[in-house]
Amino acid sequence: MIKLTLKDGSVREAESGLSAAEVIKGIGMGLYKAACCVKIDGNVCDLRTILDKDCTFEVMTFDSEEGKHAFNHTASHMLAQAVKRKYPSAKLAIGPAIDGGFYYDFDVEKPFTREDLDALEAEIKKICKEDIPLKQYGLPADEAAKKLEAMGEPYKVELCNEHAGKGEDISFYEQGDFTDLCAGPHLMSTGAVKAVKLTQCTGAYWRGDSKGKQLCRVYGTAFPKASELEAHLKALEEARAKDHNKIGRELEYFTTVDYVGQGLPILLPKGAKVIQILQRWVEDYEAKQGCTLTKTPLMAKRELYKISGHWDHYLDGMFVIGDPNDEEKECFALRPMTCPFQYQVFLNRQRSYRDLPMRLTETSTLFRNEDSGEMHGLIRVRQFTISEGHFIVRPEQLEEEFKLCLDMCKYFLGTVGLLEDCTFRFSQWDPANPKNKYEGTPEQWEEAQSVMKTILDDLGLDYTIGIDEAAFYGPKLDIQYKNVFGKEDTLVTIQIDMLLAKQFGMEYVDVDGKKRNPYIIHRTSLGCFERTLAYLLEKYNGALPMWMSPEQVRILPVTDRAKEYAENIAKRLDDMDVRVTVDNRNEKIGYKIRAAQLEKIPYFFIVGDKEVEENTVSLRSRKNGDMGAMALDEVVDRIMKEIREKSKDN
């Protein structure tokens, strides 16, 4: 008998030898039509999986992440089939499902226009109506490569050859006149995809290598119902209005320039001021928590990265100066992280247990060679500044110092208003992938993860587990945040490292006189300042809280006589470290008010002859609008209180 576990937890049985689809169909057509794939022993499989033995499987619908993935993955194949029908000479690269939809990369003569995408959408609708079954089969690697060569698909051949010698069959999916190299899973047929929208077309390098071929990447999204697509597109439009890429450019926080480079934003005065405010705040608070500030180089010789393991595990993500393969000449690399540099502070002299914990911090500028297709405003960039630090501790200090790191993260994120939308992920290694990505032995990893689990559980933290998300040297706690489009990134991370101290020869003399290797906590407190600024612009829709606004007060004189009064108020506020300007332009007051509103200034004072005589201001705020005439001293006290308390409600 076959056991089928439904979403409500109930179990049904059916005769063995039937396909999963037949079993589900026998239970009810509603469930059959809603099913996207099944999960068997934790593995997601096609719905048509043949069950020839007793087992339990779970139906995954579009409401589940696994179901969405299979659904969108099928839609990406439908897009590729449409492209091959309309553009037979197009070469296929990769087409995965992603958060919120899918994309596919094509090698075509010229990028697709919006009109081209509309025509492809129409072709996809035809493919949907044709209700073409998807069938999976496998071929030995050599046969698979020959088939792909005959199909004229060089990118697929390259992917296929990477699996040669592993002894595994190469998986293909066939849907009518279209065949693709793919591991799945997929829907049973194209008819289930009722609504597709191709959202945009961008450039993307093959495999993210800027030296590789530039491909045409088409993004899309798909749904089982047209009404769901309409709701999604409406939500997407609302998200675009709140996208920091739009807000940040319109309010002049940052810009990008093609000939400067992708992923290299230029912070304009407003953006630079906000990051300066956050940076000074973080550094001052960390100093009060016993942290020691360091300043280390932006680059180092390859030998440093070889000791740390970055040369072996992270070279593709680094910007290298020189030939990395020429051992006879010096070769440098811009730093992708600060840890191996800060270790040199510890190694500067012999250390004892009395020197620990050593809390080293730095506002670090880092460089990472991110995939060009992943670039997005300030969220994913190639040069960024981060509140980085490394706490070097004795084993018995680990839990207390980890808690200190987490408390600081919560304080910073809570104060700026992001903590309430954060989630926590315990990122662990994948035992199936130790040689390709991770340093250390399974025993060392089990010890590190066991220690970290104990700490997280002792702290009562609610977290999910992410397999194969660990750093190559240790497990970590990732504090995750989603942008307005639902794309999740890591905002802050705290990592436990029991390996690198030994590799660098870091030792301290313990209480008993013996030399021991310390543990290291890699941590950030507010994470990447550029990414944080992006999330703040989105959360507050550009109206940043008073205390971090680049311009906190603007004074609008109505008459020439009031200009001197306005300048005197500005001088008083400036002496109190309030960021204030005076709008002395020869414009009507209505125009000045509108400008202040559009720039989302927290407070602006309107001053005329009456205000000069009575020592008042006509106060307006972006939250409450016209607040009427108020005594100057009262207004100043109000502003200083909001700044001092770092209020988010203004």
Side-chain angles (χ1 to χ4, degrees):
M1 295 295 289
I2 299 168
K3 294 180 180 179
L4 167 64
T5 303
L6 300 181
K7 193 173 182 181
D8 62 6
S10 62
V11 177
R12 307 288 178 85
E13 293 185 346
E15 295 294 328
S16 58
L18 299 177
S19 70
E22 290 170 316
V23 174
I24 298 168
K25 195 171 183 178
I27 292 173
M29 282 299 294
L31 180 61
Y32 168 64
K33 290 181 178 180
C36 295
C37 54
V38 293
K39 185 182 286 187
I40 305 174
D41 296 330
N43 298 314
V44 181
C45 311
D46 283 349
L47 190 61
R48 65 176 65 251
T49 302
I50 302 300
L51 305 175
D52 56 4
K53 59 182 179 180
D54 290 348
C55 66
T56 298
F57 62 95
E58 182 182 359
V59 177
M60 312 306 293
T61 67
F62 190 77
D63 292 334
S64 68
E65 289 302 315
E66 296 89 346
K68 277 189 176 68
H69 185 277
F71 195 94
N72 281 302
H73 201 175
T74 302
S76 77
H77 277 223
M78 294 168 68
L79 165 61
Q81 185 176 20
V83 168
K84 293 295 285 187
R85 286 183 177 183
K86 305 283 285 185
Y87 305 91
S89 63
K91 307 301 180 186
L92 306 179
I94 58 173
I98 58 174
D99 288 344
F102 60 89
Y103 72 79
Y104 212 115
D105 290 344
F106 303 98
D107 187 352
V108 289
E109 292 183 5
K110 60 180 181 178
F112 296 129
T113 64
R114 182 65 251 179
E115 290 73 19
D116 296 330
L117 297 186
D118 292 340
L120 289 171
E121 279 183 24
E123 190 65 35
I124 292 173
K125 289 181 180 178
K126 293 180 183 178
I127 294 170
C128 172
K129 290 180 180 179
E130 293 170 20
D131 196 16
I132 307 169
L134 280 84
K135 300 177 182 179
Q136 183 183 26
Y137 63 90
L139 292 175
D142 56 343
E143 292 183 31
K146 290 178 182 178
K147 177 179 178 64
L148 292 167
E149 286 174 359
M151 292 168 60
E153 299 291 355
Y155 301 101
K156 301 293 185 179
V157 172
E158 181 179 330
L159 294 172
C160 180
N161 288 337
E162 291 180 359
H163 293 275
K166 295 183 179 180
E168 300 174 355
D169 278 359
I170 304 299
S171 174
F172 287 85
Y173 273 85
E174 179 183 275
Q175 56 189 62
D177 58 2
F178 175 74
T179 300
D180 203 354
L181 176 76
C182 184
H186 285 283
L187 305 179
M188 289 189 66
S189 73
T190 61
V193 182
K194 300 298 184 184
V196 174
K197 181 66 178 178
L198 302 182
T199 54
Q200 63 173 323
C201 180
T202 65
Y205 291 110
W206 169 237
R207 318 207 73 168
D209 185 354
S210 59
K211 297 179 182 178
K213 176 77 173 181
Q214 175 121 33
L215 304 174
C216 177
R217 174 170 294 179
V218 179
Y219 286 92
T221 189
F223 289 86
K225 297 179 182 178
S227 59
E228 293 176 329
L229 174 60
E230 290 175 9
H232 173 77
L233 294 177
K234 182 178 179 181
L236 196 62
E237 194 62 34
E238 293 173 353
R240 288 196 186 100
K242 296 180 180 179
D243 182 9
H244 82 278
N245 238 330
K246 177 177 183 292
I247 294 172
R249 294 173 194 275
E250 288 178 349
L251 294 179
E252 298 187 2
Y253 278 83
F254 75 98
T255 188
T256 52
V257 180
D258 287 343
Y259 52 77
V260 171
Q262 192 176 17
L264 298 170
I266 294 172
L267 292 173
L268 300 174
K270 287 182 181 179
K273 174 54 69 174
V274 174
I275 287 182
Q276 181 189 58
I277 293 163
L278 296 175
Q279 177 182 325
R280 288 176 174 176
W281 170 51
V282 168
E283 289 180 352
D284 289 346
Y285 186 85
E286 287 180 338
K288 292 177 182 178
Q289 304 304 308
C291 298
T292 301
L293 190 66
T294 67
K295 186 75 172 175
T296 58
L298 297 179
M299 68 177 76
K301 295 163 63 174
R302 80 181 124 206
E303 285 70 22
L304 178 74
Y305 303 115
K306 284 188 174 182
I307 298 172
S308 68
H310 290 102
W311 201 256
D312 292 329
H313 295 279
Y314 204 77
L315 184 60
D316 289 343
M318 298 167 67
F319 290 101
V320 178
I321 304 171
D323 184 352
N325 300 312
D326 188 347
E327 297 290 340
E328 300 299 319
K329 295 182 180 179
E330 278 192 329
C331 181
F332 291 79
L334 298 176
R335 63 181 184 186
M337 58 282 295
T338 312
C339 39
F341 296 84
Q342 287 197 331
Y343 298 162
Q344 308 311 310
V345 177
F346 178 93
L347 290 166
N348 186 53
R349 60 177 172 83
Q350 178 64 59
R351 302 292 178 178
S352 81
Y353 68 93
R354 296 184 181 87
D355 295 313
L356 305 181
M358 181 180 287
R359 306 182 186 112
L360 304 176
T361 58
E362 182 167 341
T363 302
S364 310
T365 299
L366 304 180
F367 307 86
R368 296 183 184 176
N369 191 12
E370 299 280 7
D371 183 345
S372 61
E374 295 297 319
M375 299 294 106
H376 178 59
L378 298 177
I379 290 178
R380 182 73 67 172
V381 293
R382 287 175 168 154
Q383 175 184 314
F384 56 93
T385 307
I386 192 168
S387 56
E388 198 170 13
H390 299 86
F391 287 20
I392 304 170
V393 304
R394 293 150 54 195
E396 59 268 27
Q397 297 170 331
L398 183 61
E399 182 164 352
E400 183 180 349
E401 292 301 308
F402 191 98
K403 182 178 184 301
L404 174 61
C405 293
L406 182 57
D407 286 345
M408 283 197 287
C409 290
K410 286 184 172 180
Y411 165 72
F412 288 123
L413 294 174
T415 303
V416 300
L418 297 180
L419 183 62
E420 60 195 33
D421 298 315
C422 289
T423 57
F424 298 87
R425 184 181 71 196
F426 179 10
S427 296
Q428 303 179 1
W429 83 318
D430 182 1
N433 187 25
K435 294 182 180 179
N436 296 333
K437 182 176 178 180
Y438 301 106
E439 294 280 345
T441 64
E443 292 75 19
Q444 288 172 317
W445 274 93
E446 290 304 318
E447 179 188 2
Q449 292 186 171
S450 176
V451 169
M452 189 164 184
K453 183 180 186 306
T454 298
I455 292 173
L456 296 179
D457 291 344
D458 286 348
L459 295 175
L461 200 66
D462 183 17
Y463 60 84
T464 59
I465 293 176
I467 301 298
D468 204 25
E469 296 289 347
F472 68 82
Y473 47 77
K476 54 180 179 164
L477 175 67
D478 288 323
I479 301 179
Q480 304 292 104
Y481 195 91
K482 291 183 179 180
N483 68 11
V484 291
F485 296 104
K487 173 70 168 61
E488 183 176 274
D489 280 299
T490 299
L491 187 54
V492 170
T493 184
I494 308 173
Q495 307 168 11
I496 292 179
D497 173 11
M498 298 182 177
L499 299 175
L500 292 186
K502 185 175 182 179
Q503 290 180 206
F504 275 90
M506 298 167 66
E507 296 179 331
Y508 67 95
V509 179
D510 212 342
V511 180
D512 58 6
K514 294 182 179 179
K515 290 185 177 181
R516 291 185 169 83
N517 299 120
Y519 290 166
I520 302 170
I521 302 174
H522 304 242
R523 41 69 69 194
T524 54
S525 52
L526 195 58
C528 166
F529 287 107
E530 289 84 354
R531 182 174 291 179
T532 299
L533 174 58
Y535 288 142
L536 289 172
L537 288 172
E538 291 185 353
K539 179 177 180 64
Y540 296 107
N541 198 24
L544 297 181
M546 171 77 166
W547 70 272
M548 70 173 82
S549 290
E551 183 180 350
Q552 295 168 316
V553 176
R554 182 175 293 180
I555 306 174
L556 314 178
V558 178
T559 64
D560 289 340
R561 182 182 168 210
K563 288 182 179 180
E564 182 179 353
Y565 180 59
E567 295 290 350
N568 290 336
I569 296 174
K571 176 66 168 57
R572 176 180 174 180
L573 292 174
D574 184 63
D575 289 343
M576 302 173 77
D577 293 327
V578 177
R579 294 179 291 279
V580 56
T581 62
V582 178
D583 188 347
N584 274 325
R585 292 178 296 172
N586 188 24
E587 299 285 355
K588 293 181 179 180
I589 190 62
Y591 179 88
K592 294 181 181 181
I593 291 173
R594 180 62 177 158
Q597 290 172 332
L598 290 174
E599 293 181 50
K600 301 181 185 287
I601 309 299
Y603 286 104
F604 44 104
F605 306 166
I606 301 172
V607 294
D609 293 344
K610 182 179 179 181
E611 285 76 19
V612 173
E613 293 172 2
E614 298 177 357
N615 198 31
T616 61
V617 298
S618 179
L619 181 63
R620 293 196 180 212
S621 80
R622 66 185 177 201
K623 178 185 177 183
N624 299 314
D626 188 352
M627 301 175 67
M630 297 178 66
L632 179 59
D633 289 345
E634 181 184 350
V635 172
V636 171
D637 289 343
R638 179 193 185 101
I639 287 172
M640 297 308 298
K641 182 175 184 292
E642 283 193 20
I643 295 173
R644 184 172 59 253
E645 295 178 353
K646 291 184 169 57
S647 172
K648 298 186 287 289
D649 185 27
N650 55 56

